[in-house]
Amino acid sequence: MLRPLRRIVPLFAVLLLPLVGCDDTGIDPFANDDKYFTVYGFLDILETEHELRVVPVTRFAEDILAETEFQGTIDAKVYTTDLFSGTRTEWTHSLSLLDDGSYGHLFKARFSVSANRTYLLEIIRSDGKMTTAETSVPVFHTSALFERGPVVFENDSTLVYRDIKIPGLASPWDIQAIYLWASGPINRRIFVPYGRIGERTDDGGWQLRINISDDQASVIENVAWSVDQGMISAGDAFGVSAMGLMIRVLDENWDPPEGVFDPEILAQPGTLSNVENGFGFFGSIGLYIEEWNVEHLSPLLGHPF
């Protein structure tokens, strides 16, 4: 049921907008400039099970309401090749029930994705006609990418924040702040969701603000849960020793104009696509984590130590 795809459904919903008129002769395999398939999906470095949806480009809209309809079959074989190792993987087809009650052609494969590798996608018809795409899984060869601004205290120190600039990262997707707190035997990381907060910088990087004081509510909530679970006692002192950011990084092709996923702009055919002889998008998601010591801040944030 599109489990991995669901996490980035809003983005792919935008990419699918040009397909609304697929029953129009403007998208036709016999007069459509050698476009054979529409594909949307991605490889995730944190997953070993991957899914793609493939739609044949025909004069008929793919609105499959029953498994017995003629669109319930598809003339396609799907492969990905790791261009570094040469390993070629065939994906398995299934006609699957989607969240909207219709059916779609899903292709699934199980393999580990490696950072800094390029993967070639091939969707091949029985007559040899082929739709292809490539994605390179992003990687940063450094353990200290962030340019951290000063910690700022405002409103009588009740508001604490820090601005972060990330050079070379033009298109983050999901950002989470990390806090490491400790008490006795407990030494635990918690993650505070930030979504895709921030904006692109003039030099093609990304900048955002971490609201450190607001995030402490999540730390205290986790401490209280640990007390309820009997892991520590209610009177045990605790403190925050480190913080950082975990960022899901989109591949360089998955970069919207000006860094903004604007539906009106992305709905224009060809605005964001890396597919040859077809439509849609095939991308990949990497991961970057960086942490730093903040023991000196813990008492200032109201923690016992």
Side-chain angles (χ1 to χ4, degrees), residues 46 82 88 128 147 238 261:
L46 295 183
D82 180 337
R88 192 176 193 229
E147 295 179 1
F238 68 92
F261 288 99

Side-chain angles (χ1 to χ4, degrees), residues 140-175:
F140 290 95
H141 298 286
T142 179
S143 59
L145 177 65
F146 300 154
E147 295 179 1
R148 305 194 300 268
V151 176
V152 178
F153 291 80
E154 292 184 354
N155 300 343
D156 294 329
S157 299
T158 59
L159 174 64
V160 185
Y161 63 85
R162 186 172 214 168
D163 292 329
I164 305 287
K165 182 177 179 181
I166 315 174
L169 178 56
S171 192
W173 176 254
D174 183 64
I175 300 169

Side-chain angles (χ1 to χ4, degrees), residues 19-203:
L19 301 178
V20 172
C22 279
D23 55 347
D24 186 81
T25 54
I27 299 180
D28 191 306
F30 306 106
N32 197 43
D33 198 24
D34 297 328
K35 307 293 186 182
Y36 308 119
F37 296 99
T38 295
V39 57
Y40 51 100
F42 57 92
L43 304 178
D44 189 336
I45 198 169
L46 295 183
E47 300 285 347
T48 56
E49 296 182 2
H50 310 281
E51 291 180 348
L52 298 170
R53 186 176 175 188
V54 176
V55 181
V57 177
T58 72
R59 69 180 69 222
F60 303 103
E62 184 178 75
D63 188 14
I64 308 172
L65 301 180
E67 295 178 89
T68 56
E69 293 186 3
F70 76 93
Q71 301 106 315
T73 62
I74 186 171
D75 178 13
K77 295 285 189 181
V78 175
Y79 302 89
T80 48
T81 302
D82 180 337
L83 297 183
F84 177 80
S85 67
T87 302
R88 192 176 193 229
T89 302
E90 182 174 0
W91 294 53
T92 302
H93 170 259
S94 66
L95 183 67
S96 298
L97 185 64
L98 307 179
D99 290 341
D100 64 359
S102 66
Y103 289 84
H105 295 289
L106 301 188
F107 287 82
K108 303 180 182 181
R110 184 180 180 88
F111 59 94
S112 297
V113 175
S114 299
N116 206 29
R117 298 281 183 90
T118 298
Y119 293 84
L120 169 66
L121 171 70
E122 299 170 293
I123 308 171
I124 307 173
R125 271 188 349 204
S126 59
D127 61 1
K129 301 294 186 181
M130 185 186 310
T131 294
T132 64
E134 286 188 7
T135 182
S136 296
V137 184
V139 65
F140 290 95
H141 298 286
T142 179
S143 59
L145 177 65
F146 300 154
E147 295 179 1
R148 305 194 300 268
V151 176
V152 178
F153 291 80
E154 292 184 354
N155 300 343
D156 294 329
S157 299
T158 59
L159 174 64
V160 185
Y161 63 85
R162 186 172 214 168
D163 292 329
I164 305 287
K165 182 177 179 181
I166 315 174
L169 178 56
S171 192
W173 176 254
D174 183 64
I175 300 169
Q176 296 186 64
I178 305 170
Y179 293 90
L180 178 64
W181 69 269
S183 177
I186 300 294
N187 197 11
R188 181 178 295 135
R189 283 178 175 80
I190 66 165
F191 298 86
V192 180
Y194 270 70
R196 197 172 184 264
I197 192 171
E199 60 186 0
R200 176 160 302 174
T201 59
D202 292 338
D203 59 2

